[in-house]
Amino acid sequence: MKVLSSRDWLAATDRVVAWQGQQQHWLSEMRQQVQALAEKLRSQPGQHWALCFDNSYHFTAALLAVWYAGKTPVIPGHCRAAQLEEMAEHLDGVISDMPLTLSMPHLRWDGALALGELPAIADDATLVLFTSGSTGTPRRVVKSLRALDLEAHWLAHLWGERLQQCHVIASVSHQHLYGLTFRIVLPMALSLPLAAQQIFYGEQLADQRSDRRYAFISSPAFLRRLDPSLTAPHCALVVSAGGALPWPDAQQAQTALHCAVDEIYGSTETGVIGWRSANIEHAAWQCFPLVTLSEQQAGQWRVFSPLLETDEGWPLDDRIVQQPSGEFQLAGRQDRVVKIEDKRVSLSEIERRLLALPGVTDAAALAIHRHGRHAIGVVLALSETLDATALSLRKKQWRSELQPWLEPVAMPRYWRVVTTIPVTAQSKRAWPQIEELFDVAG
C-alpha cells in the first residue's frame, strides 16, 4: 500500500476521508476547512494551540490547520477546562468542538470553508503531547512529523495487506498518542476512511455496517467487556494497546471478532516499541525493525529507536525479560504510574491533589486489585479526628473537589483514614503495611 507523508495527506485524490452515521466527509471538504482555519490561526498571536475535540474528523482538520498556519499543535490528553487553565504557561490558545469556559483565547470549530493554496508544512514541524509522569507533573513530549510518518510506514509494512479496503473504527481517544497514531495518522497515511466518533459500548460496535472490512483500534479494557451475545462486524485487524491483554480476554475477543488480537507495546515518549499476536498464551513481544532494548544496569532498561528525537535512548518504566532470540516478555512496572482500565494514572498526581484538600496532612495512593479489576485506594492522615458521620460528609466534599482534576478512573474508590501513614526506618513509605490497610473490605 502507498504510504502518504502527513505533508501530502491533502494532496491525494479526492475520497471519503471520514464518516459519522450516514454522513460522509470528503478530502476536498477537509482541504477547504483546513484552509479556512489556517487563515484564522495566522491572524492569531502565539505559537502553541491545544486541540480538544470530540469528533475525530474535526480533530484531524484542526491538526493540519495548525501545522499549515506555521504553529504547533498541543494535545493535552484531556479536555478539562480546569486542567487547561493550569497548563496556561504552555498554551497560547485552545481549538475545540465542545463548550469550554476558558480565560485564554478559544476558537470553536465552525466548519468554515475557504479556497486557496496551502503553503508547505515546515520541515521542522512538531506536535506536543502531555502525559502522566512519575513525579505527578504532566510530562511534555515533543514529536516530529518525521517520527509520525516513520511510525505509519512501520505499521503499514506490518499490516499492509490486512488493512487494504478497511474502515478504521476505534474505542480509544485521539487525544492520546495511541489513538492519534492508529486512528488518525495511519488511516490518513493509507487513504483509509476513519470513523469520526469513538466507540464506547459493545452495542455501538455491533451496529457497524456488516458489508465493510474493519480495522478496530481498541484496548484491553474494552475487549474484556465484549458481550458475546452481540454480533460484531468482520474485523480484518484488531489492535490493542495500553496494557497487556490477559489470555482469557484475548481468546474471548478472538471468538467474538473472528480475528486474533495484535497487541502493541510502547509509550507516548517512545512511540511503538514492539508487537505481538495474542494467538497463544504468553506470546513473546518482538521489537519493530531498528528498535533495540538494552539493559543499562540490573533491571533498568533503555530503548533506542529512530522514533525518538534523541540518540541517547529512553529509560523504560517496565521490567523486561529478554530471550536469546531478542524477543521479550514484560514483567511489571517500576514507576509511580499505574494502569487503571488501560489508562496511565499518576499516583503522585493523585497524592498532590489529596494534599490540597482541607484537613489532609498526608496522603498515599496505590492501585488496589479486587474482583478482577484495579481501582485507586488512598490513605489519608488528617489534622482532626472525625466520627463516622463527619467522615462520610467529608468524603463527599473531597470527591467533589477532586472531580475537576482527576479522570473518572483516577478517582479514589477505597479510602482509609489513619493517624499517621506507616513509614520504614529510613522514613520511606512502608508499602506492605499500607497495602494491609485494604485487606479488610470497605
Side-chain angles (χ1 to χ4, degrees), residues 184-228:
I184 305 294
V185 177
L186 185 60
M188 290 297 293
L190 298 182
S191 299
L192 301 174
L194 62 93
Q197 280 305 121
Q198 181 177 340
I199 290 173
F200 293 97
Y201 309 106
E203 290 81 1
Q204 293 172 303
L205 179 62
D207 283 343
Q208 300 299 312
R209 283 175 47 172
S210 59
D211 59 343
R212 292 173 173 169
R213 282 166 52 90
Y214 292 99
F216 181 34
I217 311 306
S218 192
S219 68
F222 188 94
L223 294 176
R224 75 170 62 103
R225 290 196 293 261
L226 280 175
D227 184 346

Side-chain angles (χ1 to χ4, degrees), residues 13-229:
T13 304
D14 200 17
R15 64 179 180 87
V16 174
V17 69
W19 83 96
Q20 181 174 357
Q22 299 300 313
Q23 183 180 15
Q24 294 183 327
H25 298 285
W26 288 76
L27 189 65
S28 53
E29 174 193 0
M30 176 181 277
R31 190 180 297 118
Q32 293 179 56
Q33 290 172 332
V34 169
Q35 177 76 44
L37 183 54
E39 289 178 359
K40 185 181 295 185
L41 279 167
R42 287 190 203 103
S43 67
Q44 296 285 329
Q47 181 68 20
H48 293 86
W49 286 78
L51 305 182
C52 294
F53 282 84
D54 174 63
N55 184 294
S56 292
Y57 168 76
H58 298 165
F59 172 90
T60 307
L63 176 68
L64 287 167
V66 177
W67 277 329
Y68 278 109
K71 299 181 186 292
T72 303
V74 178
I75 303 176
H78 60 81
C79 294
R80 289 176 171 77
Q83 286 185 296
L84 290 170
E85 293 285 5
E86 199 173 58
M87 295 171 60
E89 64 179 302
H90 302 288
L91 304 175
D92 296 300
V94 176
I95 313 169
S96 79
D97 62 356
M98 58 185 68
L100 292 170
T101 302
L102 299 166
S103 61
M104 68 186 80
H106 179 204
L107 298 181
R108 285 291 300 272
W109 171 266
D110 58 10
L113 305 174
L115 297 174
E117 292 295 321
L118 287 164
I121 296 176
D123 291 340
D124 60 352
T126 61
L127 62 81
V128 176
L129 301 105
F130 281 87
T131 185
S132 298
S134 58
T135 63
T137 303
R139 180 182 290 158
R140 183 177 184 270
V141 180
V142 178
K143 292 284 177 182
S144 65
L145 266 67
R146 174 203 61 80
L148 294 175
D149 290 340
L150 179 58
E151 200 166 32
H153 273 273
W154 289 2
L155 298 173
H157 178 76
L158 179 63
W159 295 320
E161 290 187 10
R162 294 167 65 184
L163 282 167
Q164 287 186 6
Q165 299 181 329
C166 276
H167 285 64
V168 179
I169 56 179
S171 66
V172 296
S173 170
H174 54 238
Q175 296 284 155
H176 301 275
L177 183 63
Y178 172 45
L180 170 68
T181 298
F182 284 78
R183 67 177 290 194
I184 305 294
V185 177
L186 185 60
M188 290 297 293
L190 298 182
S191 299
L192 301 174
L194 62 93
Q197 280 305 121
Q198 181 177 340
I199 290 173
F200 293 97
Y201 309 106
E203 290 81 1
Q204 293 172 303
L205 179 62
D207 283 343
Q208 300 299 312
R209 283 175 47 172
S210 59
D211 59 343
R212 292 173 173 169
R213 282 166 52 90
Y214 292 99
F216 181 34
I217 311 306
S218 192
S219 68
F222 188 94
L223 294 176
R224 75 170 62 103
R225 290 196 293 261
L226 280 175
D227 184 346
S229 69

Side-chain angles (χ1 to χ4, degrees), residues 263-278:
E263 294 184 83
I264 289 291
Y265 170 58
S267 71
T268 304
E269 295 84 359
T270 64
V272 298
I273 295 174
W275 69 279
R276 70 177 181 180
S277 180

